[in-house]
Amino acid sequence: QVKLVESGGGSAQSGESLTLSCVASGDTVRGHCMAWFRQAPGKERETVASIDTEGHIKYLDSVEGRFTISVDNAKHTLFLQMNDLKPEDTAKYYCANLGNFCYTDGVPTPVPGDVYNYWGQGTQVTVSS
């Protein structure tokens, strides 16, 4: 079992930055595929950013160049640095762990959310103009 706890959400103005953190505990997670998802009211869940076992990263087109996903394996922590925030980034953000290795280099789409086994409780990000 893996427990994921997110933090770092909150309110921001357009153009500001926030950093989300997701601390994993429980079974070992080193090398497991991880991702950040978000869901706004009335909208489908989106894969914001994902990182695979070899460190290959995929971003949602709308956040490419503004968001950065990273992992600190020593601290069992996944990060999402969000710069130049926009009102359309407003959503509840979730971190997820696949519970296994994955290799996505050369694969055009990220691992679907339904495949992820472990999820955090979510953290709200609200961006005002």
Side-chain angles (χ1 to χ4, degrees):
Q1 286 291 324
V2 175
K3 182 179 180 181
L4 304 174
V5 179
E6 302 105 334
S7 62
S11 298
Q13 299 283 329
S14 288
E16 293 183 340
S17 300
L18 287 173
T19 300
L20 305 184
S21 301
C22 173
V23 179
S25 61
D27 292 346
T28 181
V29 297
R30 191 181 186 100
H32 286 179
C33 291
M34 292 176 283
W36 287 98
F37 293 82
R38 70 186 182 188
Q39 189 163 22
K43 294 188 177 181
E44 291 188 357
R45 182 177 61 197
E46 298 180 302
T47 308
V48 177
S50 62
I51 184 165
D52 75 3
T53 298
E54 295 179 323
H56 296 112
I57 291 171
K58 296 186 188 294
Y59 291 104
L60 183 69
D61 285 348
S62 63
V63 309
E64 183 91 50
R66 299 188 296 121
F67 290 11
T68 303
I69 187 173
S70 61
V71 178
D72 184 333
N73 285 312
K75 296 182 179 179
H76 308 295
T77 302
L78 180 70
F79 298 99
L80 185 68
Q81 173 67 42
M82 306 185 293
N83 296 330
D84 190 23
L85 283 162
K86 304 177 185 300
E88 51 264 41
D89 295 320
T90 295
K92 194 164 188 179
Y93 284 71
Y94 300 85
C95 71
N97 185 296
L98 186 65
N100 211 330
F101 304 124
C102 74
Y103 305 91
T104 61
D105 187 32
V107 177
T109 57
V111 175
D114 292 348
V115 180
Y116 283 81
N117 288 307
Y118 304 105
W119 292 81
Q121 80 287 354
T123 185
Q124 179 67 35
V125 172
T126 303
V127 184
S128 55
S129 57

